[in-house]
Amino acid sequence: MLDVLVIGGGISGGSAAIYTAQGGLRTAVIDSGMSQVKQVSQLYNYPGISEISGTALMDTIKHQAIASGAEWTEGVVESVTQIDRVFSILLADGKELAAKHLIIATNLQTTLLKGLGFELAVNEKVPSGKVKKVLGIEPDGTTTLPNLYITSLLAGLSSQSVIAAGHGASVGISIVSKETGKSYMWHDK
Ligand SMILES: Cc1cc2nc3c(=O)[nH]c(=O)nc-3n(C[C@H](O)[C@H](O)[C@H](O)COP(=O)(O)OP(=O)(O)OC[C@H]3O[C@@H](n4cnc5c(N)ncnc54)[C@H](O)[C@@H]3O)c2cc1C
C-alpha cells in the first residue's frame, strides 16, 4: 500500500509529492497532464525565477518529484472510496491502487470530490465566479475525511502558481510530520 497518493500532478500536487517523497513516504502521483499553468507562455511572478514558461515550470516540478522518489504515472482517476481508513483508487484503465493518505489536487475537476460527498461553493478569490472550493476545509488542507487533503483553489486560495506550490508543500509537510511524529523540515546544506 502507498503511504501517499496524489491525484493531479499540477503545481500543487507536484509540490506536495516532492515533500512527501523527500520525507521518506512511498508516494505516487496520477496525473492527466492538463495543468492550467501549461496555458501560460511565460510567468514573471514566480519568486526566485525571473521568467519561465508554464510548461517548463511543470516539467521541472515533475522532475523534482521523481528525483525525490515519487512514482509518476499519466492517467485519470475515475473514483475514490475510503474503507477502514484505506483509500481505494480506480483509474480509467482499470488499474487499482490503495493508499493511506490521499491528496486531491485536481483544481478545476470536482467530480471526485462530489463523489466523496463534499459540498462545493464558488471560490470568491477567482473573479470569474466559475471556480469552486470545498466547504468545511481547513487552511492546512485537511478535511472532514481522515487522511484526505485538498489543495490550492479547491481549498479556497487564490489562483497563483506560487500559492499552489506553497500550499502543496505545506500539505506534504503536514503528512510527513503526522506519519513520523515529529515536525518535518527540509534543510539542504
Ligand atoms: C490562462 C491562465 C494564465 C495564468 N497565468 C498565471 C500567471 O501568470 N502566474 C501565476 O502564478 N499563475 C497563473 N495562472 C494560474 C496557475 O496556472 C494556477 O494557479 C495553478 O496551475 C494551480 O495549480 P493546481 O495544482 O491547483 O492546478 P493545476 O496546475 O491545474 O493541476 C491540476 C492537475 O490535476 C490533473 N487532474 C484533474 N483531474 C484529474 C483526475 N481525475 N485524475 C488525474 N489527474 C487529474 C490535471 O490534469 C492537472 O494536471 C494562470 C492560469 C490560467 C488558466
Side-chain angles (χ1 to χ4, degrees):
M1 183 169 73
L2 293 160
D3 296 316
V4 183
L5 182 82
V6 184
I7 307 177
I11 301 282
S12 63
S15 177
I18 292 170
Y19 276 83
T20 56
Q22 184 70 28
L25 302 185
R26 191 176 166 219
T27 300
V29 178
I30 308 295
D31 182 46
S32 55
M34 301 291 285
S35 169
Q36 273 198 310
V37 85
K38 291 183 179 176
Q39 298 175 38
V40 191
S41 54
Q42 292 289 16
L43 284 90
Y44 300 96
N45 63 348
Y46 201 92
I49 300 175
S50 304
E51 96 182 65
I52 188 167
S53 73
T55 301
L57 180 62
M58 205 48 259
D59 286 347
T60 305
I61 289 172
K62 178 178 175 181
H63 171 78
Q64 288 173 300
I66 292 168
S68 294
E71 297 165 33
W72 193 291
T73 304
E74 283 180 30
V76 176
V77 173
E78 279 204 338
S79 69
V80 173
T81 49
Q82 187 186 32
I83 299 169
D84 294 336
R85 299 215 168 205
V86 175
F87 291 101
S88 298
I89 298 99
L90 177 65
L91 276 66
D93 64 6
K95 191 173 173 190
E96 288 183 63
L97 295 167
K100 180 172 179 186
H101 298 275
L102 185 68
I103 301 174
I104 297 188
T106 54
N107 194 6
L108 305 180
Q109 299 300 321
T110 56
T111 315
L112 298 174
L113 294 161
K114 287 179 197 152
L116 285 163
F118 287 108
E119 275 190 69
L120 302 171
V122 170
N123 179 338
E124 319 82 358
K125 303 234 171 80
V126 183
S128 71
K130 292 179 184 165
V131 174
K132 303 292 185 201
K133 69 176 180 184
V134 174
L135 289 177
I137 192 166
E138 298 297 324
D140 64 357
T142 52
T143 66
T144 46
L145 281 185
N147 293 346
L148 188 140
Y149 300 77
I150 294 171
T151 64
S152 193
L153 276 81
L154 289 168
L157 301 179
S158 297
S159 176
Q160 293 289 269
S161 295
V162 68
I163 293 176
H167 194 237
S170 175
V171 166
I173 285 171
S174 295
I175 294 173
V176 176
S177 301
K178 189 172 161 188
E179 275 299 284
T180 59
K182 56 183 181 185
S183 291
Y184 176 60
M185 279 191 294
W186 176 353
H187 283 179
D188 287 325
K189 295 194 175 102

